[in-house]
Amino acid sequence: MDPPWPNKSVHRSAGYETQDIYDLFKIPMASLLEPGGLVAVWVTNKPKFRRFIQDKLFPAWGVACVGEWVWVKVTNDGSPVFPLDSPHRKPYEQLILGRRADSSNSHGDAVTPPYHHILMSIPSTQHSRKPPLQDILSRYIQKDARCLEMFARCLMPGWTSWGNECIKFQHETFFERVQDK
């Protein structure tokens, strides 16, 4: 899930509506997440939002933190899109992973994800578009799992997409037409 975190630059640009972080408590995660289920939450680089997820949101949802991953955005030559020590913009975003806390290691055929993991990719030119994670996350969820993408901005095969912008990146302008040979 990639909640629309409050953000001054997004608010100024009116790119999309943000949401009060406390509205996330309203998501009925206990009824959506099966025993052993995995939840992945993208978070901005504000430390208070990461602490909010780990110290307040996950406990309220009955979820234990099992990973803190980082997506490093790089250019075509592999360099970070911004300096790592930039005081304003960071070339990375964080993904916090949680597993339903009452699962007592009963996550079937799913492997436990590494606590720290780095993903590197060239970011989309579209604001806030994240790399597709279904293949990366597939080994950490049960094979027969029903998957839900909340705050989705595109449709993914085999997943249920929920949000105000589910088909945002499905428009034909995001694809390149290839002629048959």
Side-chain angles (χ1 to χ4, degrees):
M1 88 171 37
D2 185 15
W5 298 104
N7 178 310
K8 287 180 186 174
S9 68
V10 170
H11 183 72
R12 282 192 300 265
S13 72
Y16 57 84
E17 287 186 40
T18 60
Q19 174 179 352
D20 185 287
I21 63 175
Y22 291 96
D23 286 342
L24 295 172
F25 285 117
K26 297 175 185 175
I27 297 173
M29 195 56 69
S31 64
L32 296 172
L33 201 58
E34 296 287 330
L38 187 70
V39 61
V41 182
W42 287 105
V43 63
T44 66
N45 288 313
K46 275 193 165 183
K48 76 175 191 176
F49 290 152
R50 191 181 77 249
R51 286 191 310 272
F52 169 78
I53 292 170
Q54 293 174 321
D55 300 341
K56 295 180 180 178
L57 189 62
F58 275 9
W61 283 350
V63 170
C65 184
V66 296
E68 295 180 50
W69 291 11
V70 176
W71 168 38
V72 179
K73 303 172 193 180
V74 296
T75 62
N76 287 338
D77 69 4
S79 304
V81 294
F82 299 108
L84 289 171
D85 59 355
S86 170
H88 303 290
R89 302 216 40 197
K90 303 295 181 193
Y92 55 84
E93 292 189 42
Q94 299 171 57
L95 182 68
I96 309 299
L97 301 177
R99 197 171 292 282
R100 193 162 132 178
D102 64 355
S103 61
S104 65
N105 293 328
S106 64
H107 39 273
D109 52 10
V111 175
T112 300
Y115 195 86
H116 294 288
H117 189 66
I118 296 176
L119 308 164
M120 296 180 78
S121 72
I122 298 170
S124 169
T125 57
Q126 301 302 314
H127 174 75
S128 194
R129 187 162 186 188
K130 306 298 187 280
L133 294 176
Q134 60 269 37
D135 290 341
I136 295 167
L137 293 176
S138 66
R139 66 181 301 200
Y140 309 117
I141 58 176
Q142 295 179 34
K143 300 245 184 290
D144 61 346
R146 294 178 301 160
C147 299
L148 171 65
E149 171 74 14
M150 300 182 80
F151 305 102
R153 291 188 186 93
C154 64
L155 304 174
M156 295 184 295
W159 287 55
T160 299
S161 299
W162 175 89
N164 294 338
E165 301 180 312
C166 290
I167 58 172
K168 180 176 182 160
F169 296 124
Q170 302 303 128
H171 192 271
E172 66 183 20
T173 57
F174 292 105
F175 297 90
E176 183 178 316
R177 189 174 302 274
V178 177
Q179 298 294 326
D180 291 335
K181 291 184 179 184

